[in-house]
Amino acid sequence: MLTRKMLRDVWKSKTSFLAIFLLMLMGCYIFSGISSEYQGMQKSLDTFMKECDMADATVMAESFSKQYSQDIQAQEVMSLSAYFQDHDDTSLDVHIIKENKISKIKIIEGKPFDTTSDGVWLDERFAKAHHLQVNDTITFTMQSKPITKKILALVLTPENIYQVKDNAMVADHIHNGFLYMNTSHVPFPFTPTKVLVKSNREDLKDVLLKDFDGRNAYITMRKDNPNYSMLQDEIHQHKELGMIFSITFLSIALLVSITTIHRLLNQQTSIIAILKALGFHKTRLYLHYAAHGTLISFCGAMIGCILGTLTFSSITYPFMNEIYTLPKLTASSIMFTYALPCLCAGLSFMIALCITHQHLRYPAAMILSNRHTKRMHAIHLPKIFQRASFITQWNIKDITRNPLRSIMSIFGVIGCTALLIGAFGMYTTMTHLTTWTFEKLQTYDCKINGNFDQDTINTLQQAMDGDEVMHAYIDIKTNGKTDQLLLTALSNTRYQHLATDTDTFIHLTNGVAISKNIADQYHLKQGDMLTWKPSSISTWQTNRIEAILRTPMEQGVTIMKSQMLKQHLPYHANAIIGHAPAKTYLQSSQITSIQYREDMEKNLDTMMDATMMMISVFVIAAVLLGSVILYNLGTLSYMERYHELATLKVLGFQSTALRKIMLQQNFWLTFMGICLGIFAGYWLLSFMLGTVQNSMDVILYLPAYVVILACGGTLLLSILIIFIVSKKVTCIDMVSALKSED
């Protein structure tokens, strides 16, 4: 009997229980979806690294030793740059190896690597982009020599998980690729350019620094390798975002559950007294009323977890595959996901028991006579409100008497406003990043990288009306520790401008400047002294930090060429920036890669696609959250004031006046929620941008019209919902409402 009664109760209050169901579903969907997504990426990365024995460190140096310290395995690699067929803008990284033991090649299709076969093991993503298959031939130009080889296999490697070049943000598999060759069929002497290292030693970096002392070595540990660190940062970002949104939705669901059970028990005071008088034990009634919210919470949470695990990764993985290269991405649930529905149901059950106890602890006679309820005392308003209209005073007293309902309404509006500001703010921030980067910060059309002699530099400068740039690695000393950073040395700031914020550009004459991410990482500020040296020399330099720069893509130290020459430091340009030259100038074997502005903008468009997906999720979540909360609480407010509204109608108030009462109170609560939601939205946007990888510096851009649009959208949604709810006042049955109260 009580089971059928519970189902009838749920159906009669279907709006409130539907709100609990949807919020639980949404919270668990986000948690299970994001957790299975990042857990799948983590498992795929770990499996790939283990299968291929990813290097623990990579060393680039002027020369290499044949002997290393104890417990260190090393594999030498000769890396050269090549151009694909007649495409000057399509580069291939050619890796020549004697053995395949560290960061091994993973064969996707074709022949395993060996040291005797004449052919190449080609990047699978590059092959698909150019419609190449196993046993086809590929022609590329390396050191001014055209080479034609048979494709023996299509491969992936852990050294190319995040396959970007020259500080790009997104991999471009059409214009960039890689291939492997053995030393047996290469028309050049084998001269290693880097060494891959495997070791279990905890002091590996210190040992390698000793082994390569005096050889101008640059050591990249696995944790700093972009192929590992970028994906780990991505996983960390998704984990934090998923946790915040899940907690938000589940918390609001529990708050809605509190008000729903309160209202249900208040409506069933007589029924509770009758059931107790008929002999139903208190424990059975506790379980009966606690089961209402528990059952709905469990169903919503369970369906959310199942749907999230099955569908969420299919939405996000296509975008992840555009950025990262892993053999296969498959969603994998964490253990907590299976316990989440039980946890949500358990919390709902405990809350329902606490509320039910407040109503069931009295004898049946006391409950039936309403002697257990608190009497409503008169509320005396301050003098400032006593001259206000009747409607205003009525609403002030109603808000005061029902603080929980009012607070929940405000929280719903805060959530809706914050999500909309986060969504629209993310869009304007990423759009502004693209515009600011390519129209104000980097105004060159083409960047050519390579190992140039002076004649080539002069030729390219003349052809491009270009400027010299030197990229090099430097050692810095901070807090007693030595670390390595990227140095950018500019001949002038004609094409590469220096900015301390979006509207402030500076000219660096003396000293050095550092990017904001580096300043934050090493706790440096403007005016501090930086101790550093180029990795190729042993003399330490000390310069004042003249500025903290905002640089979206290149994080490190910036100095002017004139300052380097003044300090007698070696300067040799390895990049030229300026206008795009004629193709005849791009045939030099000294050129390693070419970047065009159009290609870099296309790469950012790929990031915008992922951003748009996130924005869509935010907008849907905001509309769902706002609609469910406001409609549920609007209905709750109407039901709680049903007798009062009927009394006013008997006294002659028209339906229009009653609707005005509801609209006014809704407007007040919405206004308060929007004001607080602006701060919450700014915090949410700052938090999301704070989870971006350290290799990027994204400047928050939140123009006033975005805030106005988000606030206007929330206000419009709120008015629409309360307008729908307020229509119910025309259906008030005055006779039955007042009789039921008697």
Side-chain angles (χ1 to χ4, degrees):
M1 182 182 80
L2 291 181
T3 302
R4 292 196 300 271
K5 176 185 175 298
M6 181 184 69
L7 295 177
R8 285 195 302 269
D9 292 341
V10 170
W11 178 252
K12 287 180 180 179
S13 303
K14 52 183 175 293
T15 302
S16 299
F17 284 108
L18 179 62
I20 299 172
F21 176 84
L22 290 176
L23 290 169
M24 283 288 181
L25 186 149
M26 195 68 181
C28 292
Y29 178 85
I30 293 173
F31 179 84
S32 64
I34 291 183
S35 62
S36 64
E37 180 230 24
Y38 71 69
Q39 182 71 5
M41 290 194 292
Q42 186 68 64
K43 278 192 173 182
S44 180
L45 175 62
D46 293 342
T47 302
F48 192 32
M49 288 167 47
K50 184 177 180 181
E51 182 181 355
C52 297
D53 287 327
M54 186 177 184
D56 295 311
T58 303
V59 184
M60 292 182 287
E62 292 178 345
S63 61
F64 299 93
S65 173
K66 297 299 180 183
Q67 293 184 346
Y68 298 95
S69 298
Q70 188 178 3
D71 299 327
I72 290 181
Q73 302 176 40
Q75 176 179 305
E76 295 178 340
V77 181
M78 178 181 177
S79 297
L80 300 172
S81 295
Y83 290 102
F84 174 57
Q85 294 179 351
D86 297 326
H87 298 76
D88 296 325
D89 60 345
T90 303
S91 63
L92 285 166
D93 293 328
V94 180
H95 304 295
I96 303 166
I97 56 177
K98 291 182 178 180
E99 54 187 354
N100 184 31
K101 293 183 178 179
I102 301 176
S103 290
K104 293 184 287 189
I105 301 169
K106 179 178 177 61
I107 307 298
I108 304 301
E109 178 186 355
K111 183 179 181 180
F113 179 84
D114 62 62
T115 58
T116 58
S117 299
D118 185 9
V120 300
W121 286 262
L122 182 64
D123 173 13
E124 184 207 23
R125 302 287 293 269
F126 183 85
K128 285 184 178 180
H130 291 274
H131 309 290
L132 296 171
Q133 299 178 349
V134 176
N135 296 323
D136 287 351
T137 58
I138 181 172
T139 301
F140 52 94
T141 302
M142 185 166 58
Q143 295 191 353
S144 301
K145 294 182 180 180
I147 300 174
T148 300
K149 294 288 184 180
K150 181 180 178 181
I151 300 174
L152 300 177
L154 304 181
V155 302
L156 299 176
T157 75
E159 297 298 319
N160 292 93
I161 292 173
Y162 184 62
Q163 190 180 337
V164 298
K165 295 192 67 174
D166 304 316
N167 298 304
M169 292 184 180
V170 182
D172 183 356
H173 298 291
I174 296 177
H175 296 98
N176 298 302
F178 67 88
L179 60 84
Y180 279 78
M181 300 175 65
N182 56 42
T183 56
S184 302
H185 301 281
V186 178
F188 312 109
F190 181 73
T191 306
T193 57
K194 65 181 179 181
V195 167
L196 304 177
V197 177
K198 282 287 290 184
S199 176
N200 293 324
R201 299 187 63 150
E202 295 183 359
D203 59 344
L204 178 60
K205 187 169 184 177
D206 294 333
V207 172
L208 290 174
L209 286 171
K210 291 180 181 179
D211 287 346
F212 286 90
D213 186 33
R215 300 185 191 180
N216 188 21
Y218 179 71
I219 301 171
T220 304
M221 303 304 293
R222 181 195 287 179
K223 66 180 180 63
D224 301 317
N225 188 335
N227 295 293
Y228 177 81
S229 64
M230 290 295 289
L231 188 52
Q232 287 291 3
D233 289 344
E234 188 85 43
I235 290 170
H236 179 70
Q237 178 189 30
H238 289 206
K239 187 182 296 186
E240 288 192 343
L241 289 176
M243 188 63 66
I244 277 191
F245 285 110
S246 300
I247 290 175
T248 300
F249 275 93
L250 293 178
S251 299
I252 294 176
L254 293 175
L255 288 175
V256 173
S257 179
I258 292 173
T259 59
T260 300
I261 299 301
H262 259 306
R263 188 187 70 178
L264 178 67
L265 291 167
N266 284 331
Q267 290 177 337
Q268 297 197 1
T269 301
S270 299
I271 296 175
I272 292 171
I274 292 171
L275 289 173
K276 294 192 76 170
L278 290 174
F280 282 89
H281 195 271
K282 185 186 295 185
T283 303
R284 192 174 178 186
L285 294 180
Y286 271 119
L287 295 175
H288 168 66
Y289 283 103
H292 286 67
T294 303
L295 178 64
I296 298 300
S297 297
F298 181 79
C299 292
M302 179 61 73
I303 294 174
C305 286
I306 294 173
L307 290 178
T309 303
L310 295 178
T311 65
F312 191 86
S313 60
S314 63
I315 300 172
T316 58
Y317 277 169
F319 297 102
M320 294 298 103
N321 281 322
E322 290 291 327
I323 303 173
Y324 306 102
T325 300
L326 290 168
K328 188 177 181 181
L329 287 174
T330 305
S332 177
S333 299
I334 62 175
M335 292 301 297
F336 185 70
T337 301
Y338 301 108
L340 186 58
C342 296
L343 177 63
C344 293
L347 287 174
S348 180
F349 182 77
M350 295 300 295
I351 289 171
L353 281 182
C354 293
I355 298 170
T356 305
H357 177 69
Q358 301 298 321
H359 292 262
L360 295 182
R361 58 181 176 171
Y362 300 102
M366 187 178 291
I367 295 175
L368 197 59
S369 63
N370 278 335
R371 283 181 290 160
H372 71 295
T373 59
K374 293 181 180 180
R375 296 298 178 185
M376 187 177 295
H377 300 286
I379 296 177
H380 300 285
L381 297 177
K383 290 184 178 180
I384 190 174
F385 295 117
Q386 290 179 1
R387 294 182 179 274
S389 66
F390 171 78
I391 292 177
T392 300
Q393 293 189 48
W394 180 282
N395 280 322
I396 293 173
K397 292 181 179 180
D398 185 68
I399 291 173
T400 306
R401 289 190 179 115
N402 299 278
L404 181 60
R405 188 185 71 211
S406 302
I407 290 172
M408 285 192 57
S409 297
I410 292 172
F411 268 109
V413 175
I414 289 173
C416 183
T417 307
L419 288 173
L420 289 178
I421 289 178
F424 299 149
M426 181 65 74
Y427 176 79
T428 55
T429 295
M430 296 305 296
T431 303
H432 179 261
L433 175 68
T434 304
T435 305
W436 184 67
T437 300
F438 296 112
E439 292 185 5
K440 293 185 177 181
L441 200 64
Q442 299 175 184
T443 55
Y444 55 83
D445 297 321
C446 180
K447 181 178 183 180
I448 299 178
N449 303 280
N451 301 311
F452 308 125
D453 56 33
Q454 192 58 48
D455 290 338
T456 304
I457 291 174
N458 294 337
T459 300
L460 289 174
Q461 276 190 288
Q462 186 175 2
M464 301 171 64
D465 185 25
D467 295 332
E468 297 175 301
V469 179
M470 183 182 84
H471 296 294
Y473 291 109
I474 61 171
D475 301 322
I476 67 166
K477 283 184 178 179
T478 56
N479 301 321
K481 296 181 180 179
T482 302
D483 212 338
Q484 293 178 313
L485 295 176
L486 176 68
L487 174 74
T488 301
L490 303 172
S491 57
N492 61 62
T493 56
R494 200 164 43 129
Y495 295 112
Q496 180 73 57
H497 305 286
L498 304 179
T500 55
D501 58 49
T502 55
D503 299 314
T504 305
F505 295 87
I506 65 168
H507 293 283
L508 186 65
T509 53
N510 301 314
V512 298
I514 60 173
S515 61
K516 183 179 182 298
N517 285 1
I518 298 299
D520 293 341
Q521 181 179 350
Y522 294 100
H523 308 290
L524 298 171
K525 61 183 182 297
Q526 185 177 351
D528 289 350
M529 303 304 291
L530 180 69
T531 302
W532 67 283
K533 72 177 183 68
S535 298
S536 58
I537 66 174
S538 58
T539 306
W540 288 93
Q541 309 291 317
T542 301
N543 290 90
R544 184 177 184 271
I545 299 175
E546 300 292 341
I548 307 297
L549 302 179
R550 306 308 299 263
T551 55
M553 291 179 282
E554 294 182 356
Q555 307 303 314
V557 179
T558 301
I559 192 171
M560 301 305 295
K561 175 183 177 181
S562 58
Q563 182 67 25
M564 290 194 70
L565 297 178
K566 182 179 177 181
Q567 295 179 213
H568 306 291
L569 297 174
Y571 182 92
H572 187 76
N574 50 20
I576 307 295
I577 56 176
H579 300 296
K583 286 194 174 183
T584 54
Y585 293 97
L586 305 178
Q587 306 300 322
S588 173
S589 61
Q590 298 176 21
I591 297 175
T592 57
S593 65
I594 304 169
Q595 288 178 284
Y596 291 102
R597 174 174 172 169
E598 294 82 1
D599 295 332
M600 290 187 284
E601 289 178 340
K602 287 179 182 177
N603 288 341
L604 280 177
D605 288 341
T606 302
M607 291 190 66
M608 280 300 297
D609 291 339
T611 302
M612 289 303 297
M613 179 206 69
M614 185 181 295
I615 289 169
S616 301
V617 171
F618 279 16
V619 172
I620 293 172
V623 173
L624 177 63
L625 178 65
S627 300
V628 169
I629 290 293
L630 294 175
Y631 186 80
N632 176 66
L633 294 175
T635 304
L636 177 61
S637 173
Y638 169 76
M639 294 301 297
E640 288 181 346
R641 293 190 291 177
Y642 189 78
H643 170 72
E644 298 169 6
L645 294 173
T647 303
L648 292 175
K649 208 166 186 182
V650 170
L651 293 174
F653 281 77
Q654 299 295 319
S655 297
T656 306
L658 300 183
R659 295 181 70 178
K660 186 177 179 181
I661 292 175
M662 299 182 71
L663 287 169
Q664 186 188 71
Q665 184 178 135
N666 175 76
F667 179 80
W668 290 353
L669 298 176
T670 300
F671 179 77
M672 287 187 283
I674 286 175
C675 291
L676 296 174
I678 292 174
F679 297 99
Y682 185 85
W683 174 86
L684 176 63
L685 184 57
S686 300
F687 175 81
M688 289 190 296
L689 296 179
T691 61
V692 173
Q693 296 89 338
N694 289 331
S695 60
M696 292 178 60
D697 180 14
V698 182
I699 302 175
L700 189 151
Y701 182 68
L702 188 65
Y705 72 84
V706 169
V707 178
I708 294 172
L709 181 63
C711 295
T714 304
L715 181 60
L716 182 63
L717 178 65
S718 177
I719 292 174
L720 178 64
I721 295 298
I722 199 63
F723 184 79
I724 294 172
V725 173
S726 65
K727 281 188 174 182
K728 295 182 178 182
V729 299
T730 59
C731 304
I732 292 176
D733 186 345
M734 294 177 283
V735 176
S736 61
L738 298 180
K739 277 186 176 180
S740 64
E741 193 68 20
D742 293 336

